[in-house]
Amino acid sequence: MNVAFRREQYIRILYTTIRGIILALIVVLTLFPIVWIVLTAFKDGGEIFAIPPTFIIRKPTIANFIASLTETPILMSMWNSIVVAVMSTILALIISAPAAYIFSRYRTRLSSILLMIILMVRMVPRVSLSLPFFTIMRTAGLLNSLTALVITYLTFQVPFAIWLMEGFFRSLPLELEEAAAIDGCSRFRAFCSIIMPVAANGLATVAIFTFIGSWNEFLYAVTLTRTASAQTGPVVIASNITSYQIFWGRMAASAVLFIIPVVAFNFLFQRHIVRGLLGGSVKG
């Protein structure tokens, strides 16, 4: 019996060790690009192109950040990204919340087919839609505007939000609405005053994911904008790649400035993300 117990202990220790190593590798592979960008942002030209690469900065400099702030419209582009991300997130929640609630409560064969079609829309490659959107926005006179970006972002944010929130709403007990109906609440009033507050963590999770998706979007932004007044952060960062030279230091500094707000945003609301995911989006 002692031999079997020790063998089980050894197997458990081995399993724990292997799992720890795999998780450590995943963390390293995930964080390495971010760490390398931060290191590059504080290097001068000589260290950026040093062979072999240097992981310890010999002469840290903020020249790249100064160049990013003075030679590129990074601050204006970050403001544009904030406006577009906030507006597309709010509109996506307003549109998708009622739709997700209906899909969760009226489950028929037709609703299941419609939900599948909505999910399939999100699977369409965005590059195949960039030219039609360009033509539509040019015809509507919205080309090179933040409004065009908000409208196009809704095409992939709304299906994603519906998919997530449908699981949240489906995990809520029907007894809440039945009790509200007994008290004389209409379906719409019960949805607004009972369902929405109860699903607050789920809505916060959806809002965070949609915000990050809009914040990082590049393809539609580079297709539909031409001037700095409408370009978002990813486009301005990519503008450091020119036909004659790639400004690696300036591009890394711009990327660091661009990721600071979203990293802070994630740290502030990570509890809502965890609670929301555990509250129904995965289980549903």
Side-chain angles (χ1 to χ4, degrees):
M1 184 174 180
N2 291 332
V3 175
F5 179 74
R6 289 179 180 177
R7 183 180 301 174
E8 184 179 351
Q9 272 191 325
Y10 292 149
I11 294 175
R12 187 174 302 172
I13 293 173
L14 179 62
Y15 172 76
T16 303
T17 304
I18 294 175
R19 185 177 61 177
I21 294 173
I22 293 175
L23 291 177
L25 289 175
I26 293 174
V27 170
V28 170
L29 292 175
T30 302
L31 294 181
F32 179 77
I34 300 176
V35 173
W36 188 254
I37 289 174
V38 174
L39 292 176
T40 303
F42 288 97
K43 292 180 180 179
D44 57 20
E47 277 197 271
I48 290 176
F49 298 102
I51 299 176
T54 59
F55 292 92
I56 299 177
I57 305 175
R58 299 171 185 172
K59 296 180 179 179
T61 178
I62 60 172
N64 295 322
F65 290 94
I66 296 174
S68 174
L69 294 172
T70 57
E71 299 176 17
T72 66
I74 184 64
L75 293 180
M76 179 182 295
S77 68
M78 289 175 64
W79 173 252
N80 292 338
S81 293
I82 292 174
V83 173
V84 172
V86 170
M87 292 303 300
S88 61
T89 299
I90 293 174
L91 291 176
L93 290 178
I94 293 175
I95 296 172
S96 57
Y101 175 74
I102 292 174
F103 279 121
S104 66
R105 288 297 183 258
Y106 301 96
R107 298 189 62 83
T108 62
R109 179 173 295 183
L110 178 60
S111 65
S112 299
I113 294 174
L114 291 176
L115 184 60
M116 184 61 63
I117 292 174
I118 291 174
L119 295 179
M120 290 174 62
V121 170
R122 180 172 171 79
M123 298 176 189
V124 176
R126 297 180 194 175
V127 66
S128 64
L129 300 175
S130 57
L131 181 58
F133 275 128
F134 178 85
T135 305
I136 293 171
M137 296 305 167
R138 184 180 60 181
T139 304
L142 297 176
L143 201 62
N144 196 43
S145 68
L146 300 183
T147 304
L149 296 181
V150 172
I151 294 174
T152 53
Y153 287 2
L154 290 177
T155 59
F156 63 87
Q157 296 291 25
V158 170
F160 176 73
I162 291 176
W163 176 67
L164 278 182
M165 283 194 287
E166 193 271 342
F168 291 127
F169 291 140
R170 184 147 44 91
S171 66
L172 299 179
L174 291 173
E175 287 77 7
L176 294 174
E177 299 161 67
E178 294 174 353
I182 294 174
D183 292 336
C185 285
S186 63
R187 177 75 71 172
F188 178 76
R189 184 177 177 183
F191 171 73
C192 295
S193 59
I194 297 177
I195 300 300
M196 294 294 285
V198 172
N201 286 329
L203 295 175
T205 303
V206 175
I208 292 169
F209 281 126
T210 52
F211 180 89
I212 294 175
S214 298
W215 179 266
N216 294 326
E217 205 283 326
F218 174 76
L219 179 61
Y220 290 156
V222 75
T223 303
L224 302 177
T225 59
R226 289 292 180 269
T227 61
S229 60
Q231 289 178 337
T232 57
V235 179
V236 172
I237 294 173
S239 66
N240 290 289
I241 303 175
T242 66
S243 302
Y244 305 99
Q245 185 180 358
I246 299 178
F247 299 93
W248 290 106
R250 197 172 69 186
M251 182 165 58
S254 299
V256 171
L257 293 174
F258 187 72
I259 66 176
I260 288 175
V262 73
V263 170
F265 186 78
N266 275 313
F267 273 114
L268 289 174
F269 294 98
Q270 61 180 341
R271 291 184 180 180
H272 293 282
I273 297 177
V274 174
R275 290 176 183 175
L277 290 176
L278 295 177
S281 62
V282 175
K283 292 187 298 181

